[in-house]
């Protein structure tokens, strides 16, 4: 795809999301704020469906998994133990001309292809000596690059000192390791999953919901005996992660793996792999998988003065388990689900935009239309069907505009089935069901609708 076409696709997604009520720029009436976004009615449904699918695949179904829901405000010592207070920094540089702020490492990498992670002096030198241009004003007049911590600071009336909004959900899992062991007595290997908000004071938020400051993560800490071979566990998780993305409709060719080079790994990690997606703006990280050894439990043990160990019920041996961490960004996952679902088709000379979401994540499952809104008998019958089906499925009743327009709207929302109640329905007690993908229509008796949809949704 050409660069122009790619950007075009991103623009189309952003505009569809706003037009159809998936995602809005937040606080627009105040001129917007911090590149933040609100999930509108269909976006909130889509988000919930993706969370539900994730929870089902990673917490509910696997026998060795359990789920928790920890707080956003956690003891500040936790972030000392994890290294975030000291080292969770990005390199910031200001343009002295237009006062815009940028990630120094990103500017250097875009201009020279060099990855200077952490080397502030070298970044400053390149920006100044090679006269790298400001992407905003085009001039080259930079401050020195400096580190800023990416955690949001806040305070608590009951605590003296700085408190942080959690920059990742993982910490909330590690601090409950002992409680989980005491309450649940899980056998190794076992995993703890969690979905929730995380906050990062990103210098530049960009690419719609790809990089934002308030986002959600879906994370797992998978504990195992260090005597066990870790490679098969790692590979198994990688496969499970990919399977999840395929269930969201992503194509194989749009996913690739990036293994972090050994020399860039943290000292405790044996292997880290990013799952990358072919975004319209280039390949970008979607999800990660990291072997973290015993780093987290050992650190939290040290900083809390509490033993975080596992007692093997058979050998009676006590040890600190090792951990493998699969991590997912929920907002990035939503973005790729939107990109993968977007289709343009020519139908009888006209363009049709259709979001081909897999059934499990489609925000609205069934739309119900009376053929005409000014015929009470049709409206009553359609309402009856709506009330019947909405107990089980997310449904929408729509009597606005002609049927063609209503189909087009539901196609853009990605609704898999539309039911129309017409005059024949009153005579024969049946309706037309139109399939989103094939656009084929069939007549089904009203009293067979529940069974019909059970068959379609549970295939
Ligand atoms: N506990 C490990 C961890 O947090 P990470 O690679 O920093 O690892 C995990 O983040 C995932 O969170 C990323 O793969 C990405 O999907 C998502 N993520 C990170 N920063 C984000 C941001 N500013 N906006 C949206 N998603 C983000």
């Amino acid at each position: 795809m050409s660069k122009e076409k790619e950007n075009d696709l991103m623009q189309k997604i952003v505009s569809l999301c706003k037009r159809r009520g998936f995602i809005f720029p937040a606080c627009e009436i105040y001129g917007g704020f911090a590149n933040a976004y609100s999930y509108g009615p269909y976006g909130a449904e889509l988000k919930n469906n993706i969370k539900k699918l994730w929870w089902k695949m990673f917490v509910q179904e696997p026998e060795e998994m359990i789920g928790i829901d920890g707080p956003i405000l956690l003891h500040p010592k936790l972030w000392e133990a994890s290294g975030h207070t000291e080292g969770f920094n990005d390199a910031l540089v200001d343009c002295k001309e237009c006062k815009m702020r940028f990630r120094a490492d990103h500017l250097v990498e875009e201009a020279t292809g060099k990855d200077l992670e952490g080397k502030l002096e070298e970044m400053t030198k390149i920006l100044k000596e090679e006269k790298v241009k400001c992407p905003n004003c085009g001039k080259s007049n930079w401050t020195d690059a400096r580190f800023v911590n990416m955690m949001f600071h806040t305070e608590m009336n009951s605590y003296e000192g700085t408190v942080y909004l959690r920059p990742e959900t993982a910490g909330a899992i590690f601090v409950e390791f002992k409680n989980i062991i005491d309450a649940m007595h899980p056998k190794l290997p076992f995993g703890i999953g969690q979905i929730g908000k995380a906050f990062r004071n990103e210098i530049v938020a960009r690419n719609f919901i790809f990089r934002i400051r308030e986002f959600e993560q879906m994370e797992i800490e998978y504990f195992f005996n260090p005597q066990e071979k870790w490679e098969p566990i790692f590979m198994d998780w990688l496969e499970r992660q990919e399977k999840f993305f395929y269930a969201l409709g992503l194509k194989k060719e749009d996913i690739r793996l990036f293994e972090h080079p050994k020399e860039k790994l943290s000292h405790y990690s044996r292997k880290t792999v990013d799952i990358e997606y072919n975004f319209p703006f280039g390949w970008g990280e979607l999800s990660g998988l990291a072997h973290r050894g015993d780093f987290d439990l050992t650190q939290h043990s040290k900083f809390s003065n509490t033993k975080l160990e596992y007692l093997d019920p058979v050998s009676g041996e006590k040890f600190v388990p090792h951990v493998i961490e699969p991590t997912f960004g929920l907002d990035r996952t939503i973005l790729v689900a939107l990109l993968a679902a977007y289709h343009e088709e020519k139908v009888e000379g006209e363009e049709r935009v259709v979001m081909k979401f897999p059934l499990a994540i489609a925000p609205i499952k069934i739309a119900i239309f009376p053929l005409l809104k000014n015929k009470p008998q049709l409206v009553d019958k359609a309402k009856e069907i709506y009330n019947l089906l909405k107990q089980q499925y997310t449904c929408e009743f729509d009597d606005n505009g002609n049927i063609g327009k209503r189909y087009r709207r539901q196609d853009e929302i990605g609704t898999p089935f539309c039911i129309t109640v017409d005059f024949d329905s009153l005579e024969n007690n049946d309706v037309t069901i139109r399939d989103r993908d094939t656009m084929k229509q069939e007549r089904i008796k009203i009293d067979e609708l529940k069974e019909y949809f059970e068959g379609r949704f549970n295939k």
Side-chain angles (χ1 to χ4, degrees):
M1 228 193 277
S2 71
K3 199 91 215 140
E4 222 165 76
K5 261 206 163 140
E6 287 164 1
N7 288 334
D8 202 33
L9 173 62
M10 203 61 194
Q11 278 316 309
K12 283 176 180 172
I13 292 288
V14 172
S15 120
L16 183 143
C17 281
K18 182 159 189 232
R19 186 173 73 250
R20 288 299 183 205
F22 280 91
I23 302 170
F24 309 121
C27 302
E28 235 179 356
I29 58 165
Y30 287 106
F33 184 62
N35 278 14
Y37 293 91
S38 295
Y39 286 88
Y42 301 123
E45 291 291 343
L46 178 65
K47 192 181 206 185
N48 275 335
N49 292 342
I50 291 177
K51 284 197 216 181
K52 265 192 246 162
L53 184 68
W54 188 91
W55 197 263
K56 182 169 177 280
M57 286 178 75
F58 295 116
V59 177
Q60 191 186 324
E61 284 180 353
E63 249 179 78
E64 80 283 25
M65 292 291 303
I66 40 185
I68 65 161
D69 185 6
I72 285 167
L73 300 170
L74 292 147
H75 200 294
K77 264 200 155 175
L78 185 165
W79 305 117
E80 275 177 51
S82 65
H84 283 81
T85 321
E86 191 62 5
F88 195 52
N89 301 320
D90 268 350
L92 166 76
V93 69
D94 295 293
C95 170
K96 287 191 195 164
E97 300 292 329
C98 69
K99 313 289 179 222
M100 285 282 279
R101 303 191 130 176
F102 299 94
R103 280 271 297 265
D105 51 332
H106 286 178
L107 288 179
V108 170
E109 196 170 347
E110 274 154 32
T112 65
K114 284 185 190 156
D115 177 5
L116 292 182
E117 203 182 299
K119 296 177 187 148
L120 279 184
E121 276 176 28
E122 278 184 58
M123 285 183 219
T124 304
K125 200 164 160 227
I126 290 184
L127 286 171
K128 292 185 179 175
E129 283 180 6
E130 303 205 5
K131 299 210 177 320
V132 174
K133 282 189 181 145
C134 167
N136 184 51
C137 69
K139 300 198 175 115
S140 182
N141 188 4
W142 300 108
T143 62
D144 288 354
R146 63 196 185 277
F147 279 134
V148 285
N149 192 279
M150 286 171 72
M151 287 198 289
F152 276 98
H153 297 198
T154 186
E155 51 190 56
M156 240 183 197
N157 288 338
S158 60
Y159 181 84
E160 193 155 322
T162 305
V163 172
Y164 306 96
L165 304 187
R166 65 182 181 197
E168 58 171 23
T169 54
I173 298 180
F174 288 118
V175 290
E176 298 314 336
F177 176 81
K178 187 176 181 311
N179 280 331
I180 298 265
I181 293 277
D182 292 347
M184 313 296 290
H185 310 289
K187 292 208 175 61
L188 285 181
F190 73 91
I192 307 174
Q194 187 185 210
I195 302 178
K197 289 258 176 173
F199 301 81
R200 292 185 189 178
N201 205 345
E202 300 280 358
I203 295 166
V204 184
R206 63 175 175 184
N207 290 328
F208 194 32
I209 52 171
F210 178 82
R211 191 178 302 285
I212 41 186
R213 297 185 176 93
E214 175 181 345
F215 56 99
E216 274 189 72
Q217 288 184 320
M218 307 182 284
E219 292 199 295
I220 292 161
E221 302 304 333
Y222 196 77
F223 300 96
F224 60 96
N225 189 327
Q227 302 295 327
E228 248 191 276
K229 278 198 175 312
W230 61 268
E231 291 90 342
I233 305 177
F234 196 96
M235 290 319 289
D236 179 51
W237 270 106
L238 208 49
E239 254 173 54
R240 292 203 221 182
Q241 285 176 281
E242 287 179 289
K243 210 166 145 200
F244 170 70
F245 289 119
Y246 296 139
L248 298 176
L250 273 58
K251 290 202 240 85
K252 265 203 161 82
E253 62 265 30
D254 285 330
I255 289 180
R256 74 176 187 193
L257 302 178
F258 168 75
E259 181 167 349
H260 290 218
K262 290 264 173 304
E263 65 277 12
K264 291 227 164 169
L265 287 180
S266 318
H267 62 93
Y268 49 80
S269 178
R270 303 248 168 94
K271 190 176 172 109
T272 297
V273 172
D274 292 344
I275 298 180
E276 296 188 334
Y277 185 78
N278 190 10
F279 288 95
F281 45 83
W283 288 92
E285 180 187 333
L286 172 60
S287 177
L289 182 65
H291 183 301
R292 298 181 60 85
D294 63 0
F295 175 76
D296 304 273
L297 290 181
T298 307
Q299 282 293 99
H300 291 303
S301 236
K302 208 157 91 189
F303 278 73
S304 66
N305 267 326
T306 309
K307 280 210 162 102
L308 299 175
E309 291 176 328
Y310 176 80
L311 169 66
D312 192 298
V314 180
S315 67
E317 192 197 348
K318 273 188 180 172
F319 58 89
V320 180
H322 279 198
V323 76
I324 278 176
E325 180 188 73
T327 174
F328 303 74
L330 175 57
D331 307 83
R332 282 186 195 179
T333 304
I334 294 168
L335 179 56
V336 294
L338 287 162
L339 288 164
Y342 187 89
H343 285 80
E344 288 173 359
E345 296 172 355
K346 273 256 172 318
V347 179
E348 291 164 8
E350 279 197 31
E351 187 147 285
R352 162 173 113 114
V353 171
V354 54
M355 298 299 281
K356 293 189 178 176
F357 294 118
L359 296 185
I361 62 165
I364 301 293
K365 305 291 190 237
I366 308 165
I368 298 116
F369 313 148
L371 182 66
L372 299 168
K373 76 166 167 194
N374 56 1
K375 296 283 174 214
Q377 282 167 298
L378 296 181
V379 173
D380 290 350
K381 192 102 211 136
K383 274 267 156 79
E384 217 176 276
I385 295 170
Y386 169 70
N387 287 328
L388 174 85
L389 294 174
K390 77 172 186 191
Q391 296 162 19
Q392 213 171 331
Y393 306 100
T394 317
C395 293
E396 192 166 273
F397 180 89
D398 187 4
D399 59 4
N400 268 319
N402 64 40
I403 292 287
K405 268 202 185 131
R406 288 184 239 171
Y407 281 153
R408 269 205 294 285
R409 183 167 168 271
Q410 294 300 333
D411 282 346
E412 287 200 347
I413 296 165
T415 307
F417 303 105
C418 292
I419 295 179
T420 304
V421 174
D422 55 22
F423 290 104
D424 287 345
S425 308
L426 303 177
E427 294 283 309
N428 306 329
N429 232 16
D430 62 3
V431 290
T432 300
I433 301 183
R434 185 250 200 189
D435 182 294
R436 175 194 71 193
D437 299 339
T438 62
M439 289 186 291
K440 288 213 172 94
Q441 305 194 0
E442 54 184 323
R443 290 301 281 193
I444 301 286
K445 291 279 179 211
I446 294 174
D447 53 15
E448 287 168 13
L449 278 176
K450 276 199 152 182
E451 206 183 321
Y452 172 87
F453 285 121
E454 262 156 37
R456 296 300 300 257
F457 284 105
N458 298 323
K459 291 203 280 222

